[in-house]
Amino acid sequence: MPNTLLKIALAGNPNTGKTSLFNVLTGLNQKVANYPGVTVDKKQGKCKLDSQTQALITDLPGTYSINPNSLDETVVLNTLLNKEDKAYPDAVIVVADIANLKRNLLLFLQIKDLGIPTLLAINMCDEMNRKAITVNVEKLSELLNTKIVLISTRTQQGIDELKKEMIRFSSWDTTTNKELLHKIDSHFFENIQQQFPNKTPYAAWLSVAHYGKYKNFEEDSSEIADFFQNNKETIKKCQHKETIYRYQKINSYLKENYFIDKNKATDFQSVLDRVLTHKIVGYIIFVLILFLIFQSIFSWASYPMDLIDGWFADLSGYVKSNLPLGVLNDLVSEGIIPGIGGVLIFIPQIAILFLFISILEETGYMSRIVFLMDKIMRKFGMNGKSIIPLISGTACAIPAVMASRTIGNWKERLITILVTPLTTCSARLPVYAILIAIIIPNSNWGIFNLQGIALFALYFLGFFTAILASFFLHKVLKTKEVSFFLIEMPSYKVPLIKNVVLEVIEKVKAFVKGAGTIILALSIVLWFLASNGSERFKNAEKIVSTQVENKSLSQEELNQKIASFKLENSYIGIMGKTIEPLIKPMGYDWKIGIALISSFAAREVFVATLATIYNVESSDENTATIKQRMQSEINPITQKKRFDFATGVSLLLYYAFAMQCIGTIAIVKRETKSWKWAILQLVFMGVLAYMSAAISYQILS
Amino acid sequence: MDAIVDLKKGECGVIKAICSENIPLCLLEMGCLPGREVTMIQSAPFNDPLCIKVNETRIAIRVETAQKIKISKI
């Protein structure tokens, strides 16, 4: 058993393969938690170094500099600055890209000046030949005062050496650059140092420069606050000077020791860029990729989804006939199993969506989309970067709203947050999927499947509404803040399968854990509300028997009647009945009303609820799937199918627009730091949903 | 004096000065510093934003930012 646990943090610029290194070191041994107080993902994993030693590796968010521009990057500053913190690492590995050494060294030098044992891992060294790069590692190591390991996460080169070095982390160099701050303004920095006698000069400087962002003040902060307020201009100037000075140093280090043949490197990249960001072809490719994603979500996922649906119907039937009859049997077979099934059924669709998003990011194409869309998005008060939340909103609005953090401008970010939940998230998919399967025939129109086209139309509707809403917000909201846009266009890369797979697994896990617990809990509550009720509920048998005394009914028909009567008089039935007048204009009855209420917490509960309701209602033990049950449901007034075209369209529109997601409301509140925007958004989406569903139903029926 | 916007596709220039005090620190940190060589790679559809290469890195910035970075063509 290993008895020593080292805490090692990985830091580095975005697109350097830092996360690949993390995946190579930790494999499936990783966990995602949140940093205390913020919702930034904290990825940690364990890596065995030798028989005695294990390392707990933290993958810090990617950043170009220790000076943060976003909440994610603030985490890097806070982790590396606070020695008292539990998360403070024993040592830091800075991962750099061999083709971008100059820029990568900026972050390295900043971190090194904090006085933590630091090692430089230069990644992608397998590309040195192809890109005609030469580097004098020995000399560079001497100049930078650090150990350097050349690695390649693609070919696994240097990984073992890196592990050996980790064991010896205490021998890593910790000397800091003493002359840097003196050269800029010695008096100013001596003053700062006096306020933080225990910190290295650079750590002291960062603590002041990012006062307010850096959270863990052990010292009396009112003095520092005053100092910060009085010297804002000087601080900014010094930050600029520091950057210039550091780059001068880096240039002098690299001048004799690092060569790159500029002509060899970028030909293929340029050709790709010319096509992918072309003013016509670029957009066509973008739309085709989106279309491919949506087609595959619908066609690839349907097979495993039907399987899962079938398994849970069988399982439920099996439990029903094999457990002793009673409350426990009912709870398990009608509450818990359909509830779990209702969660697991989304896994195929979510996995496929995240698969595509992860590939788009890994290849570097996502930045090109941002580049293509910036000018257009700006017309709607957003930023090219808003396209990432809007696209990843098709998976789930919660991480999408968090992804808006990369947008620096507050108004652009706010608009992005407010409209993102209108894009079609995967929780809407099961609702759409089942309704489309019921109201649209499964036939082909040319090479396209009609159901696929219907789904694409709904995605388009969500996106179009989001754009329209942002245009409206752009006109209404006023701001004085200057908008700024800067994004790296990384070189195109073939995605690493390991990275993509781990990303998909992690996202699916997070979904099952997050949404799963809500859905499971709700289905149990729902089951309880559906199987308990008023006095009439308890006397159901007696009342129904007297009602139908004169009609000759078979035992089966009688049981059916009793079950329906029970549902109507259960607590949930009473709730559904209460809101029936309100939802009638949209074409819904009280049973659908129940599903609307319960799916307020999460849309996907809609299907699970209907499953539970129709399960409770059907007295026989047949194991029909939810789709068959919905198709055979009859509207007692018109004697036509309950889920006809008009009702189906109305429901689709309702779920396209209504908020119906507690998770998103909570995250919007947290990210905008006020209830005001969360509530405005909820009301706006609710009104829009109600109006469009009601109007469409009235026209179509 | 020319600014980055005046570069045509494929042309190079050397950064002379960065005009506005309101240029965020991150632009400097990406390597947009006086003395650096900058190459115009291409412009997005509708001519904004611009993709430039500086410091061996391709970055995209908007025209309004590119106007504030003065250069001399080479």
Side-chain angles (χ1 to χ4, degrees):
Chain A
M1 269 301 283
N3 45 21
T4 322
L5 187 66
L6 311 177
K7 285 185 286 181
I8 309 261
L10 299 183
N13 291 8
N15 309 307
T16 51
K18 183 174 57 67
T19 300
S20 307
L21 177 63
F22 176 72
N23 288 340
V24 167
L25 290 173
T26 62
L28 274 170
N29 272 324
Q30 34 182 278
K31 258 199 202 147
V32 181
N34 280 338
Y35 287 95
V38 287
T39 46
V40 177
D41 279 350
K42 179 183 198 168
K43 282 173 129 186
Q44 283 191 321
K46 283 189 180 163
C47 168
K48 203 177 158 193
L49 301 177
D50 64 12
S51 57
Q52 306 285 305
T53 330
Q54 247 190 335
L56 178 67
I57 301 191
T58 308
D59 187 17
L60 293 172
T63 177
Y64 294 107
S65 148
I66 192 98
N67 300 309
N69 290 309
S70 70
L71 199 57
D72 292 24
E73 295 173 8
T74 309
V75 164
V76 181
L77 180 75
N78 274 317
T79 309
L80 298 182
L81 218 45
N82 187 10
K83 282 192 175 159
E84 313 302 317
D85 198 282
K86 261 190 283 170
Y88 186 77
D90 296 322
V92 183
I93 296 175
V94 178
V95 185
D97 172 3
I98 187 123
N100 257 319
L101 208 49
K102 204 182 272 181
R103 197 194 62 210
N104 285 248
L105 284 182
L106 178 74
L107 179 69
F108 171 80
L109 289 179
Q110 290 174 331
I111 291 179
K112 186 141 192 317
D113 278 351
L114 296 174
I116 311 173
T118 309
L119 178 141
L120 180 65
I122 303 182
N123 192 13
M124 308 193 203
C125 62
D126 55 310
E127 296 188 357
M128 278 170 80
N129 277 339
R130 197 173 59 75
K131 292 190 174 164
I133 300 170
T134 44
V135 50
N136 185 343
V137 175
E138 243 165 74
K139 198 82 218 284
L140 206 55
S141 162
E142 206 175 286
L143 287 167
L144 293 168
N145 266 329
T146 184
K147 285 202 170 125
I148 297 180
V149 182
L150 288 182
I151 60 166
S152 163
T153 47
R154 231 164 250 271
T155 63
Q156 309 275 316
Q157 183 189 336
I159 302 294
D160 288 332
E161 194 191 337
L162 189 64
K163 284 186 188 172
K164 278 190 200 123
E165 283 296 343
M166 280 195 239
I167 301 171
R168 295 196 298 252
F169 81 91
S170 53
S171 71
W172 296 359
D173 189 88
T174 54
T175 54
T176 58
N177 181 345
K178 300 264 178 345
E179 52 169 5
L180 163 77
L181 298 178
H182 278 284
K183 270 200 168 169
I184 298 172
D185 186 339
S186 63
H187 177 70
F188 182 68
F189 287 102
E190 263 161 37
N191 200 344
I192 291 174
Q193 179 74 70
Q194 278 165 10
Q195 303 186 47
F196 296 93
N198 301 326
K199 287 192 152 103
T200 67
Y202 191 58
W205 157 231
L206 287 178
S207 308
V208 171
H210 299 291
Y211 177 79
K213 283 185 206 158
Y214 168 57
K215 295 278 185 290
N216 305 288
F217 272 111
E218 55 267 42
E219 292 84 359
D220 174 32
S221 61
S222 73
E223 241 172 78
I224 298 157
D226 288 344
F227 184 84
F228 175 74
Q229 287 303 333
N230 298 332
N231 292 287
K232 270 189 169 169
E233 278 305 308
T234 322
I235 288 173
K236 203 179 164 192
K237 268 192 196 129
C238 287
Q239 284 179 321
H240 282 213
K241 278 186 193 159
E242 181 203 323
T243 309
I244 293 170
Y245 177 83
R246 282 194 193 278
Y247 266 123
Q248 278 169 0
K249 276 277 169 205
I250 292 167
N251 279 339
S252 73
Y253 294 152
L254 293 182
K255 205 174 170 195
E256 302 288 324
N257 302 301
Y258 175 79
F259 302 97
I260 183 163
D261 185 349
K262 286 171 189 165
N263 300 324
K264 224 169 172 177
T266 50
D267 283 352
F268 180 60
Q269 302 279 335
S270 314
V271 174
L272 264 181
D273 260 339
R274 219 168 292 146
V275 178
L276 292 177
T277 59
H278 187 268
K279 56 185 160 210
I280 299 161
V281 184
Y283 290 110
I284 294 175
I285 293 174
F286 179 42
V287 170
L288 283 179
I289 289 176
L290 286 184
F291 194 77
L292 172 78
I293 295 176
F294 302 136
Q295 274 282 323
S296 42
I297 288 165
F298 208 67
S299 53
W300 296 357
S302 66
Y303 181 70
M305 287 178 80
D306 287 346
L307 269 184
I308 296 174
D309 200 15
W311 286 338
F312 277 90
D314 290 348
L315 185 66
S316 177
Y318 176 81
V319 168
K320 204 165 193 167
S321 48
N322 284 287
L323 267 188
L325 288 177
V327 181
L328 183 69
N329 182 321
D330 287 354
L331 175 63
V332 175
S333 68
E334 289 168 6
I336 294 176
I337 293 179
I340 295 174
V343 180
L344 297 188
I345 197 161
F346 309 124
I347 288 179
Q349 285 174 333
I350 289 188
I352 291 175
L353 254 171
F354 278 114
L355 178 77
F356 276 105
I357 288 176
S358 159
I359 291 174
L360 291 187
E361 272 176 0
E362 281 270 311
T363 50
Y365 182 63
M366 203 63 117
S367 314
R368 273 66 187 189
I369 302 178
V370 171
F371 183 62
L372 272 181
M373 300 299 285
D374 182 60
K375 181 110 191 213
I376 302 174
M377 302 301 276
R378 233 184 302 166
K379 290 212 171 12
F380 300 98
M382 289 188 279
N383 184 303
K385 290 178 186 169
S386 308
I387 199 76
I388 297 176
L390 290 179
I391 290 178
S392 58
T394 58
C396 177
I398 295 166
V401 166
M402 290 197 271
S404 72
R405 283 175 187 161
T406 54
I407 303 167
N409 178 281
W410 169 241
K411 180 185 160 186
E412 292 174 342
R413 186 167 159 228
L414 179 65
I415 294 180
T416 311
I417 292 174
L418 292 179
V419 304
T420 293
L422 283 166
T423 57
T424 304
C425 64
S426 55
R428 286 178 176 97
L429 270 181
V431 182
Y432 288 178
I434 201 145
L435 289 169
I436 288 176
I438 291 170
I439 64 167
I440 307 277
N442 186 12
S443 54
N444 277 3
W445 181 70
I447 54 163
F448 299 116
N449 181 288
L450 274 185
Q451 295 184 339
I453 292 175
L455 187 70
F456 186 75
L458 281 162
Y459 270 94
F460 182 78
L461 177 74
F463 194 74
F464 182 72
T465 317
I467 290 287
L468 222 61
S470 58
F471 188 71
F472 169 74
L473 288 166
H474 181 41
K475 295 286 165 216
V476 174
L477 295 171
K478 292 277 170 260
T479 178
K480 277 185 206 145
E481 200 184 347
V482 191
S483 166
F484 182 75
F485 174 84
L486 174 84
I487 188 172
E488 188 192 351
M489 309 272 276
S491 3
Y492 292 103
K493 286 189 196 80
V494 180
L496 277 179
I497 295 172
K498 188 166 189 173
N499 286 357
V500 174
V501 170
L502 283 173
E503 172 87 9
V504 171
I505 291 176
E506 182 201 311
K507 288 281 155 66
V508 169
K509 246 167 106 184
F511 169 81
V512 172
K513 243 165 93 191
T517 40
I518 296 178
I519 296 174
L520 185 60
L522 269 176
S523 24
I524 294 172
V525 170
L526 213 69
W527 169 83
F528 174 81
L529 290 176
S531 31
N532 291 279
S534 60
E535 277 306 306
R536 283 162 69 84
F537 177 89
K538 283 169 197 142
N539 301 322
E541 268 104 14
K542 222 188 274 168
I543 297 171
V544 175
S545 310
T546 43
Q547 272 176 359
V548 297
E549 233 167 5
N550 305 327
K551 301 169 195 160
S552 53
L553 285 176
S554 71
Q555 187 60 39
E556 199 176 306
E557 282 170 309
L558 183 68
N559 284 345
Q560 183 80 45
K561 278 242 179 276
I562 293 173
S564 292
F565 185 83
K566 269 187 161 175
L567 180 64
E568 221 175 317
N569 288 288
S570 66
Y571 292 125
I572 191 85
I574 295 166
M575 285 162 78
K577 288 258 173 193
T578 316
I579 64 159
E580 196 168 21
L582 186 69
I583 58 176
K584 208 155 194 164
M586 296 190 285
Y588 311 153
D589 63 359
W590 57 275
K591 283 185 215 163
I592 301 178
I594 294 172
L596 290 192
I597 295 174
S598 62
S599 67
F600 178 71
R603 298 175 182 92
E604 55 270 37
V605 178
F606 175 78
V607 182
T609 305
L610 287 181
T612 311
I613 291 172
Y614 296 140
N615 244 324
V616 170
E617 204 185 14
S618 75
S619 53
D620 59 352
E621 262 138 54
N622 72 15
T623 53
T625 64
I626 167 72
K627 186 180 143 192
Q628 289 161 334
R629 287 232 170 86
M630 283 172 75
Q631 265 169 333
S632 56
E633 181 75 1
I634 300 292
N635 182 343
I637 300 160
T638 58
Q639 289 303 321
K640 280 190 196 141
K641 284 199 170 167
R642 168 81 267 163
F643 292 96
D644 59 3
F645 189 70
T647 315
V649 170
S650 155
L651 270 173
L652 285 175
L653 288 175
Y654 181 83
Y655 277 92
F657 297 138
M659 176 54 108
Q660 303 281 109
C661 178
I662 284 185
T664 308
I665 299 174
I667 202 76
V668 169
K669 190 251 154 183
R670 190 156 50 185
E671 295 287 310
T672 61
K673 297 197 178 74
S674 82
W675 277 113
K676 179 177 132 192
W677 295 113
I679 289 170
L680 264 174
Q681 185 182 32
L682 176 70
V683 171
F684 171 75
M685 289 174 73
V687 171
L688 182 65
Y690 188 85
M691 298 301 287
S692 50
I695 290 169
S696 70
Y697 181 76
Q698 297 304 335
I699 292 171
L700 291 171
S701 65
Chain B
M1 201 193 244
D2 289 330
I4 286 186
V5 260
D6 301 313
L7 289 173
K8 292 193 186 71
K9 197 165 156 180
E11 281 184 341
C12 295
V14 173
I15 299 178
K16 288 289 165 199
I18 294 176
C19 289
S20 170
E21 278 299 300
N22 289 323
I23 291 286
L25 181 62
C26 59
L27 191 72
L28 276 76
E29 289 174 338
M30 290 296 262
C32 276
L33 297 168
R36 284 297 173 82
E37 202 176 289
V38 52
T39 312
M40 173 67 67
I41 303 292
Q42 71 180 115
S43 59
F46 315 113
N47 297 322
D48 192 11
L50 307 168
C51 178
I52 58 170
K53 189 163 93 175
V54 61
N55 205 19
E56 301 309 322
T57 312
R58 287 152 181 257
I59 57 174
I61 55 174
R62 286 178 181 166
V63 166
E64 59 187 25
T65 312
Q67 281 164 344
K68 291 178 189 157
I69 307 175
K70 302 296 177 197
I71 52 140
S72 66
K73 286 190 189 177
I74 45 173

